[in-house]
Amino acid sequence: DVDGHGLTNVTYCQLRNESICEIQNDGNSNVFYVVLYNGLAHMRNEIVALPVSSNKNYIVERGEESWKNVESVLLPNIQHSQSNRSTPFILLFDSGPMKPIGLTLFRISNIGTTLINDARVLNSNEKIGKKSFSLKQGNVEVHLDDSGNLDRISKGDKLDFSVSYEFGYYKSFPGDASDTQASGAYIFRNIPGEDFIKILPDPSKTIVRQTPLQTEVHIKFEVPWVNQVIKVYKDKNYVDIDFTVGPIDVSNGIGKEVVTRFVSSIENDGVFFTDSNGREFLKRKRSQRNTWTLEEFEPIAGNYYPVNAAIYIEDTKAFMGILTDRSQGGASLKDGSVELMVHRRTLHDDARGVDEAMNETDYIAPYPPFGDASRKGNGLIITGTHRLVLGFGNDGFGQVREQMDEMFMPIHLF
């Protein structure tokens, strides 16, 4: 109920992760209402990102006994140039406490004044270049080295944690005369004897955006098909890493299995934990099986396990957990490291039933007898988020579990 009247023409922003919200694409509404639904059974507080169509002066108010102003920030949308449908700006605002399994109402007024150099647009939009730097938001401080790599994370005065974040890929095994089993849709096999190939960041293109609600570091890499954004939020104790991967370049005729790797100083002795379909955590031991003697032929693929929601490692001093926004394969191939596979593009069939390579593109020609089933257009582009959670030793389960529900069930915006 809004001022004695019910809301009508309510639209669900289903594509908000693509910076698309249909009601805002026309830019004609001077006042509109936003309803946030918290589906969890406990209170939560979020920094909400709402796609908006113009750089006007938006006033955000929360509906309680009376309308109360909330802190908000307007940001240019970097993804806008990559999509005709996405909006050119993002309005960030602090939701405040949201009741469990309940609705929270906001009124957003566009008062018509175009923002150019207003402090609400950006406190900082600095191109960093090749130098080390740090950024702080709330209790979390993130340090990057002069190559643009994540180097260290601090939480308050008590935790100073060495951790780096890498992108790279394994070359897909194509099969040969002596071993015909290729990597494909069902089988992951890297070329034997070849390790993870790093994709290095390009520090000359690193940009920092600092606002009162969140701070972002936009990082580009030496290849055009990998980008990432490190985000630190007001009053949050975690770091989000958004990534965009694709179209994977296979012009050299070699398929690629793209992974992200987190590297820390944790001495986990080959032990790591993965969730069981979002429920309990299962203990894994590198290159070992509990019920039989393992003869290992695939030291990389043989140590990958399903990660539906989270994976973590720990020792007596610290833990490191990574939460995923979808099911991925994960492993801890070296002590202190965790890696997750985020995208794949192979060029050979693995002979497990689909009778084609896992070379997904924009579209495909009809299958015989109506066509040759050839792939057309560019390879697929994927976006995703990893949430990095750090803390003191032997507390990985409790800390990761606390974040799993929020990752699995984000707020719904109408």
Side-chain angles (χ1 to χ4, degrees), residues 147 149 167-168 197-203 219-223:
S147 298
N149 285 311
F167 258 107
I197 298 172
K198 288 185 182 180
I199 301 173
L200 299 177
D202 182 352
I219 300 173
K220 294 186 179 295
F221 288 77
E222 60 184 353
V223 297

Side-chain angles (χ1 to χ4, degrees), residues 288-320:
Q288 179 178 307
R289 302 296 185 269
N290 291 332
T291 55
W292 77 92
T293 300
L294 176 67
E295 184 179 1
E296 191 170 64
F297 297 98
E298 298 285 345
I300 295 177
N303 283 296
Y304 261 70
Y305 289 88
V307 178
N308 301 115
I311 179 173
Y312 71 89
I313 58 175
E314 63 183 1
D315 59 18
T316 57
K317 297 179 180 179
F319 81 88
M320 176 175 69

